[in-house]
Amino acid sequence: MPAVSVIISVYNVEPYMARCARSLFGQTLRDMEFVFVDDCTPDRSVEVMKEVLEEFPHRKSQVKVFRMPCNSGQALVRMKGLELATGDYLAHCDADDWVEADAYEKAYGKAVSGGFDIVTFNFRKGSDGNWVNCSSGSLPGKELSDIMTGAVMGSLWCRLFKRSLADGLALPAGNMAEDMALSIQMTAKAKRIGHLDDVLYSYFVRPDSISHSAGMEAALARQESMYANTRLCAGLLQPYADKFGAADMLIFKYRSRHYLEPYVHHKEVYRKWRSTFPEIDRELLAARGIPPATKFWYVLIRLHLYHLWKVLSGKHSLI
């Protein structure tokens, strides 16, 4: 079996596919597998990938392309990719992003030499001319709680996972934050986690992407999916309570209200904000370990002053 399988979901990424495919096929790690899952994309994304593949004939036998029977969404696509992958270790790469040429050689080398179930690595985030480097590293033992609290991104693409961690994963409950739901499940099961302090991945922020679309309806849709996946994970994490604290779970649940904050001056949105894990309202202010900024913004919202404060101060939520 290959050392590393990379799973790439394909949908409406034609303008970005060539860049991504070249970064994958040009990897310095030779023993690889590339699993492209076509979610019935309406454009030429798959054809563009195959055209780039002609530049790397030695990779042809390492490429799998699977077309979903119908447009299914990110959650099912990622699960299908995990099902098809056969590598010792698994990685994900979003088709509008790209990786450094030695990314998977470095991550795999770290995993094998250290006996790690997961290796995290740093990334840069932005768009042309505006990039910022971000860390995905955590102190030992804090890896799970850092994902829960948002201290690090829960994305799959900045992590290399041992394939055995993917056994028995629960299907994410929504197509937003679906990677967080999978990362949390695998991180909870991992016994040893290492980190590479190298920027190996470029996360391209597309202005037209669903995750960055503006407006109340988009925010409500994102929140609904975040809430569903948070509720799923909260139940699945019960056997791993020794890996996080009570405050971590409170923050984790409260973060699923985050997308609603810009619109809480609308009565219907405020009601949805209050009804999202309402049990945390009894604990949030009194609990130790909750950042003061989180409590501050929570109080402003409860007093119906959040929107006024934001208008007057120009500040945004610090959650």
Side-chain angles (χ1 to χ4, degrees), residues 243-270:
K243 291 191 174 186
F244 59 89
D248 298 325
M249 180 58 75
L250 282 173
I251 296 171
F252 182 46
K253 290 181 176 180
Y254 188 57
R255 288 180 63 224
S256 64
R257 300 183 181 187
H258 177 60
Y259 291 115
L260 301 177
E261 291 177 356
Y263 307 99
V264 289
H265 53 290
H266 295 278
K267 289 182 179 180
E268 66 274 19
V269 177
Y270 179 72

Side-chain angles (χ1 to χ4, degrees), residues 112-248:
V112 172
S113 63
F116 295 117
D117 298 323
I118 297 175
V119 171
T120 61
F121 43 85
N122 297 339
F123 61 95
R124 64 176 190 149
K125 174 182 178 180
S127 57
D128 296 337
N130 185 25
W131 293 91
V132 59
N133 290 346
C134 304
S135 175
S136 61
S138 300
L139 293 173
K142 292 283 290 178
E143 295 90 355
L144 180 58
S145 61
D146 278 355
I147 297 175
M148 294 171 66
T149 62
V152 299
M153 286 189 71
S155 300
L156 292 166
W157 40 251
C158 56
R159 293 170 170 82
L160 186 74
F161 298 91
K162 200 166 189 176
R163 186 161 65 93
S164 59
L165 295 177
D167 293 341
L169 291 177
L171 174 68
N175 289 316
M176 292 285 299
E178 85 295 334
D179 52 347
M180 176 201 73
L182 294 173
S183 286
I184 280 179
Q185 292 181 67
M186 290 190 278
T187 301
K189 293 196 293 183
K191 292 182 172 60
R192 285 178 52 79
I193 300 176
H195 176 67
L196 273 172
D197 198 27
D198 294 48
V199 177
L200 300 180
Y201 192 97
S202 293
Y203 169 38
F204 180 61
V205 179
R206 291 168 52 185
D208 62 336
S209 69
I210 296 174
S211 59
H212 294 94
S213 55
M216 190 168 75
E217 291 304 315
L220 288 168
R222 290 198 295 270
Q223 188 273 339
E224 191 65 36
S225 186
M226 181 72 172
Y227 170 60
N229 279 313
T230 301
R231 184 174 53 188
L232 170 72
C233 290
L236 295 172
L237 285 174
Q238 291 181 11
Y240 304 98
D242 59 326
K243 291 191 174 186
F244 59 89
D248 298 325

